[in-house]
Amino acid sequence: MDALRKEESYTINDIYALPDGERAELIDGKIYYMSPPTRRHQDIIFSLSRKIADYIDSNNGNCKVYLAPFAVFLGESNRNYVEPDISVVCEQNKLTDAGCNGAPEWVIEVVSPGSRSMDYFTKLFKYRTAGVKEYWIVDYAKNLIMVYRFEKDTLEQYDFGEEVSVGIFDGFSVKVE
């Protein structure tokens, strides 16, 4: 009988040891390499982050908006490191010069062709268990936004061009186009 091959487990140190310009995320000790984003991907991220930051600023909010690459360390172990496309962090004590220690309140991932299963499955589970309150998956290939509000255990689906209410901020909605 063949012996089972042990899967290699990585840590945050392995992420930091990657060659310059190479990006990857680490989930439960497994490395997931990232390809460069498309122009449309970047346009969506910039537009959304600007709207969110403008809302926070105009309401004298204390939350901060961060764009990838921004390090988010999920959980207490050194086996989870992600770079969400957009992270909204409201608890300032989570922030260090290295990034965010713990779950941001709101995470937005814009789906790329190579990240589809990561965003819809792997990260969905990881963000939910880590304590993210709201998770949006923006899928421009399908013109659709999936909104998971984990605290309320709800899932809503929107089409591009529709107003999407933001669960962590009362009275704020965003149109993704």
Side-chain angles (χ1 to χ4, degrees), residues 135-162:
Y135 176 44
W136 289 20
I137 300 173
V138 178
D139 192 333
Y140 60 84
K142 295 181 178 182
N143 288 324
L144 128 88
I145 304 105
M146 304 296 292
V147 177
Y148 296 87
R149 293 191 177 96
F150 296 134
E151 289 186 320
K152 295 181 180 179
D153 203 27
T154 63
L155 165 62
E156 297 169 354
Q157 179 177 313
Y158 297 87
D159 293 322
F160 274 35
E162 288 186 89

Side-chain angles (χ1 to χ4, degrees), residues 53-127:
D54 287 349
Y55 174 82
I56 292 168
D57 289 347
S58 67
N59 287 279
N60 298 315
N62 65 339
C63 300
K64 301 285 184 188
V65 181
Y66 296 96
L67 304 177
F70 175 71
V72 174
F73 306 95
L74 296 174
E76 295 297 319
S77 82
N78 66 348
R79 298 177 65 236
N80 291 289
Y81 166 97
V82 292
E83 293 180 358
D85 289 320
I86 301 174
S87 301
V88 178
V89 181
C90 299
E91 295 178 35
Q92 302 305 306
N93 62 335
K94 291 180 182 178
L95 296 171
T96 68
D97 284 342
C100 178
N101 291 312
E105 281 69 23
W106 181 15
V107 168
I108 300 173
E109 294 284 8
V110 177
V111 176
S112 297
S115 73
R116 184 167 299 285
S117 67
M118 279 289 291
D119 295 335
Y120 277 100
F121 301 105
T122 308
K123 286 184 177 180
L124 170 67
F125 176 76
K126 199 62 180 171
Y127 290 147

Side-chain angles (χ1 to χ4, degrees), residues 25-81:
E25 294 178 305
L26 181 70
I27 297 178
D28 296 329
K30 184 174 179 185
I31 290 182
Y32 296 89
Y33 292 94
M34 301 164 65
S35 50
T38 65
R39 182 186 57 80
R40 185 157 185 218
H41 182 276
Q42 293 300 87
D43 286 344
I44 292 169
I45 291 169
F46 180 75
S47 175
L48 280 172
S49 62
R50 187 179 63 217
K51 291 173 187 177
I52 296 165
D54 287 349
Y55 174 82
I56 292 168
D57 289 347
S58 67
N59 287 279
N60 298 315
N62 65 339
C63 300
K64 301 285 184 188
V65 181
Y66 296 96
L67 304 177
F70 175 71
V72 174
F73 306 95
L74 296 174
E76 295 297 319
S77 82
N78 66 348
R79 298 177 65 236
N80 291 289
Y81 166 97

